[in-house]
Short mmCIF file of all heavy atoms in Angstrom, two decimals:
data_model
loop_
_atom_site.label_atom_id
_atom_site.label_comp_id
_atom_site.label_asym_id
_atom_site.label_seq_id
_atom_site.Cartn_x
_atom_site.Cartn_y
_atom_site.Cartn_z
N MET B 133 101.14 50.43 123.85
CA MET B 133 99.81 50.98 123.70
C MET B 133 99.77 52.43 124.17
O MET B 133 99.24 53.27 123.48
CB MET B 133 98.81 50.20 124.54
CG MET B 133 97.37 50.78 124.31
SD MET B 133 96.20 50.05 125.45
CE MET B 133 96.49 51.04 126.86
N TRP B 134 100.46 52.77 125.28
CA TRP B 134 100.43 54.15 125.78
C TRP B 134 101.19 55.06 124.83
O TRP B 134 100.85 56.22 124.57
CB TRP B 134 100.96 54.25 127.20
CG TRP B 134 99.94 53.83 128.17
CD1 TRP B 134 99.98 52.73 128.93
CD2 TRP B 134 98.73 54.52 128.47
NE1 TRP B 134 98.87 52.67 129.72
CE2 TRP B 134 98.05 53.79 129.50
CE3 TRP B 134 98.11 55.65 128.03
CZ2 TRP B 134 96.83 54.16 130.04
CZ3 TRP B 134 96.86 56.05 128.59
CH2 TRP B 134 96.29 55.26 129.57
N LEU B 135 102.27 54.51 124.28
CA LEU B 135 103.09 55.26 123.30
C LEU B 135 102.26 55.61 122.00
O LEU B 135 102.29 56.67 121.59
CB LEU B 135 104.40 54.53 122.91
CG LEU B 135 105.30 55.29 121.96
CD1 LEU B 135 105.90 56.49 122.56
CD2 LEU B 135 106.45 54.36 121.51
N PHE B 136 101.54 54.52 121.59
CA PHE B 136 100.68 54.73 120.48
C PHE B 136 99.59 55.81 120.66
O PHE B 136 99.36 56.72 119.84
CB PHE B 136 100.09 53.40 120.04
CG PHE B 136 99.01 53.54 118.91
CD1 PHE B 136 99.37 53.71 117.63
CD2 PHE B 136 97.64 53.41 119.21
CE1 PHE B 136 98.48 53.85 116.66
CE2 PHE B 136 96.73 53.59 118.28
CZ PHE B 136 97.14 53.77 116.94
N LEU B 137 98.97 55.75 121.86
CA LEU B 137 97.89 56.66 122.20
C LEU B 137 98.52 58.07 122.30
O LEU B 137 97.84 59.03 121.96
CB LEU B 137 97.18 56.26 123.49
CG LEU B 137 96.29 55.05 123.31
CD1 LEU B 137 95.73 54.66 124.71
CD2 LEU B 137 95.16 55.26 122.32
N TRP B 138 99.69 58.23 122.84
CA TRP B 138 100.33 59.53 123.04
C TRP B 138 100.63 60.16 121.59
O TRP B 138 100.39 61.35 121.43
CB TRP B 138 101.62 59.38 123.84
CG TRP B 138 102.31 60.60 124.23
CD1 TRP B 138 101.87 61.57 125.13
CD2 TRP B 138 103.58 61.01 123.75
NE1 TRP B 138 102.77 62.51 125.15
CE2 TRP B 138 103.86 62.25 124.39
CE3 TRP B 138 104.53 60.44 122.88
CZ2 TRP B 138 105.06 62.94 124.16
CZ3 TRP B 138 105.68 61.16 122.72
CH2 TRP B 138 105.98 62.34 123.32
N ILE B 139 101.15 59.35 120.72
CA ILE B 139 101.42 59.80 119.35
C ILE B 139 100.09 60.15 118.64
O ILE B 139 100.05 61.22 117.99
CB ILE B 139 102.26 58.77 118.56
CG1 ILE B 139 103.62 58.70 119.20
CG2 ILE B 139 102.30 59.15 117.08
CD1 ILE B 139 104.45 57.54 118.62
N LEU B 140 99.13 59.38 118.79
CA LEU B 140 97.78 59.63 118.26
C LEU B 140 97.16 60.90 118.78
O LEU B 140 96.64 61.73 118.03
CB LEU B 140 96.83 58.43 118.58
CG LEU B 140 95.49 58.50 117.93
CD1 LEU B 140 95.54 58.35 116.43
CD2 LEU B 140 94.58 57.46 118.57
N TRP B 141 97.41 61.18 120.05
CA TRP B 141 96.90 62.46 120.60
C TRP B 141 97.65 63.68 120.03
O TRP B 141 97.03 64.66 119.76
CB TRP B 141 97.01 62.39 122.13
CG TRP B 141 96.53 63.64 122.82
CD1 TRP B 141 95.20 63.99 123.02
CD2 TRP B 141 97.27 64.77 123.15
NE1 TRP B 141 95.15 65.17 123.61
CE2 TRP B 141 96.39 65.70 123.67
CE3 TRP B 141 98.62 64.98 123.09
CZ2 TRP B 141 96.90 66.98 124.12
CZ3 TRP B 141 99.08 66.24 123.59
CH2 TRP B 141 98.13 67.25 124.06
N PHE B 142 98.95 63.44 119.79
CA PHE B 142 99.65 64.63 119.27
C PHE B 142 99.20 64.86 117.76
O PHE B 142 99.15 66.12 117.38
CB PHE B 142 101.17 64.30 119.20
CG PHE B 142 101.88 64.87 120.40
CD1 PHE B 142 102.43 64.07 121.38
CD2 PHE B 142 102.00 66.26 120.61
CE1 PHE B 142 103.07 64.57 122.47
CE2 PHE B 142 102.64 66.83 121.75
CZ PHE B 142 103.19 65.91 122.68
N PHE B 143 98.93 63.83 117.01
CA PHE B 143 98.34 64.06 115.72
C PHE B 143 97.04 64.80 115.75
O PHE B 143 96.77 65.72 114.98
CB PHE B 143 98.24 62.74 114.94
CG PHE B 143 99.45 62.26 114.27
CD1 PHE B 143 100.08 61.09 114.67
CD2 PHE B 143 99.94 62.91 113.18
CE1 PHE B 143 101.16 60.64 114.04
CE2 PHE B 143 101.08 62.50 112.52
CZ PHE B 143 101.70 61.35 112.99
N LEU B 144 96.20 64.41 116.71
CA LEU B 144 94.93 65.07 116.88
C LEU B 144 95.12 66.49 117.26
O LEU B 144 94.42 67.42 116.79
CB LEU B 144 94.05 64.33 117.92
CG LEU B 144 92.67 64.85 118.15
CD1 LEU B 144 91.86 64.75 116.83
CD2 LEU B 144 92.04 64.01 119.19
N LEU B 145 96.07 66.81 118.22
CA LEU B 145 96.36 68.12 118.63
C LEU B 145 96.78 69.06 117.42
O LEU B 145 96.25 70.11 117.24
CB LEU B 145 97.41 68.13 119.67
CG LEU B 145 97.87 69.50 120.27
CD1 LEU B 145 96.68 70.13 121.03
CD2 LEU B 145 99.00 69.27 121.19
N PHE B 146 97.68 68.55 116.60
CA PHE B 146 98.18 69.31 115.44
C PHE B 146 97.05 69.46 114.43
O PHE B 146 96.96 70.50 113.78
CB PHE B 146 99.40 68.62 114.82
CG PHE B 146 100.59 68.63 115.71
CD1 PHE B 146 101.36 67.57 115.78
CD2 PHE B 146 100.96 69.82 116.38
CE1 PHE B 146 102.53 67.61 116.61
CE2 PHE B 146 102.02 69.93 117.21
CZ PHE B 146 102.85 68.76 117.34
N LYS B 147 96.18 68.50 114.24
CA LYS B 147 95.06 68.59 113.34
C LYS B 147 94.08 69.70 113.82
O LYS B 147 93.57 70.48 113.02
CB LYS B 147 94.32 67.24 113.28
CG LYS B 147 93.08 67.25 112.54
CD LYS B 147 93.37 67.11 111.09
CE LYS B 147 92.09 66.99 110.29
NZ LYS B 147 92.17 67.38 108.94
N ILE B 148 93.85 69.80 115.09
CA ILE B 148 92.98 70.78 115.70
C ILE B 148 93.59 72.18 115.59
O ILE B 148 92.91 73.15 115.19
CB ILE B 148 92.62 70.47 117.11
CG1 ILE B 148 91.63 69.28 117.08
CG2 ILE B 148 92.02 71.65 117.80
CD1 ILE B 148 91.21 68.69 118.46
N ILE B 149 94.92 72.33 115.83
CA ILE B 149 95.54 73.61 115.67
C ILE B 149 95.49 74.11 114.20
O ILE B 149 95.27 75.24 113.98
CB ILE B 149 96.99 73.51 116.21
CG1 ILE B 149 96.93 73.40 117.75
CG2 ILE B 149 97.80 74.81 115.82
CD1 ILE B 149 98.28 73.13 118.39
N THR B 150 95.71 73.12 113.23
CA THR B 150 95.59 73.47 111.84
C THR B 150 94.18 73.96 111.50
O THR B 150 93.97 74.87 110.83
CB THR B 150 95.97 72.30 111.01
OG1 THR B 150 97.28 71.88 111.31
CG2 THR B 150 95.91 72.56 109.57
N ASP B 151 93.19 73.22 112.06
CA ASP B 151 91.79 73.60 111.82
C ASP B 151 91.43 74.93 112.39
O ASP B 151 90.66 75.72 111.83
CB ASP B 151 90.88 72.54 112.40
CG ASP B 151 89.42 72.73 111.96
OD1 ASP B 151 89.15 72.58 110.76
OD2 ASP B 151 88.58 72.97 112.84
N ILE B 152 91.98 75.30 113.58
CA ILE B 152 91.76 76.56 114.16
C ILE B 152 92.20 77.67 113.20
O ILE B 152 91.56 78.71 112.92
CB ILE B 152 92.45 76.68 115.58
CG1 ILE B 152 91.69 75.78 116.58
CG2 ILE B 152 92.42 78.17 115.96
CD1 ILE B 152 92.43 75.75 117.91
N PHE B 153 93.46 77.55 112.69
CA PHE B 153 93.93 78.58 111.82
C PHE B 153 93.22 78.58 110.46
O PHE B 153 93.13 79.66 109.83
CB PHE B 153 95.45 78.34 111.59
CG PHE B 153 96.25 78.83 112.78
CD1 PHE B 153 96.94 77.93 113.56
CD2 PHE B 153 96.37 80.17 113.10
CE1 PHE B 153 97.70 78.36 114.65
CE2 PHE B 153 97.05 80.60 114.20
CZ PHE B 153 97.80 79.67 114.93
N ARG B 154 92.73 77.49 109.97
CA ARG B 154 92.07 77.34 108.69
C ARG B 154 90.66 77.86 108.72
O ARG B 154 90.13 78.25 107.67
CB ARG B 154 92.15 75.97 108.18
CG ARG B 154 91.56 75.82 106.84
CD ARG B 154 91.70 74.39 106.30
NE ARG B 154 91.38 73.45 107.33
CZ ARG B 154 91.74 72.12 107.29
NH1 ARG B 154 92.47 71.75 106.22
NH2 ARG B 154 91.48 71.31 108.20
#
Side-chain angles (χ1 to χ4, degrees):
M133 184 191 77
W134 282 112
L135 181 66
F136 173 75
L137 290 174
W138 187 66
I139 291 171
L140 184 69
W141 180 81
F142 267 112
F143 275 113
L144 184 61
L145 179 66
F146 292 136
K147 174 80 173 157
I148 286 175
I149 290 173
T150 302
D151 189 65
I152 289 172
F153 284 112
R154 182 177 41 202

